[in-house]
Amino acid sequence: MSSEDLDLVVSGESHRPPGGPALRRVAVAFATKYGWTFDIRDGRVHDETPPGSPEYTFYQVSPVRAFGYGADGLTATPRWRFNRT
């Protein structure tokens, strides 16, 4: 993530979200924010707009640690660690 004041780096473990409700939430979020709609068939994400109906894969990141830099690229922020309980 980046803004005028901060560049934020988040690292963690990624995994594919389970199908069904989780993918539907992703679809709603993408449609709301970007206006991009796609179909979910058999737990897979397809875009019917371009020819060939490409398939996309989404990953969910469970954060483990994060840190940031100020807009100057030199000023570091504290580091954060996330409990994975």
Side-chain angles (χ1 to χ4, degrees):
M1 182 195 98
S2 182
S3 73
E4 290 183 19
D5 300 323
L6 177 71
D7 290 326
L8 181 65
V9 179
V10 178
S11 64
E13 297 175 0
S14 65
H15 57 278
R16 292 179 71 169
L23 283 178
R24 281 192 279 286
R25 285 192 302 272
V26 171
V28 169
F30 267 77
T32 301
K33 183 165 184 167
Y34 303 111
W36 178 40
T37 58
F38 49 82
D39 294 323
I40 301 168
R41 296 191 311 262
D42 300 322
R44 296 177 180 204
V45 177
H46 295 270
D47 186 350
E48 300 297 337
T49 308
S53 181
E55 184 178 325
Y56 297 94
T57 304
F58 293 99
Y59 290 88
Q60 181 175 345
V61 176
S62 299
V64 174
R65 67 185 73 79
F67 60 94
Y69 291 100
D72 61 6
L74 302 172
T75 308
T77 65
R79 295 180 183 260
W80 299 275
R81 291 195 177 272
F82 301 92
N83 292 330
R84 299 181 331 160
T85 56

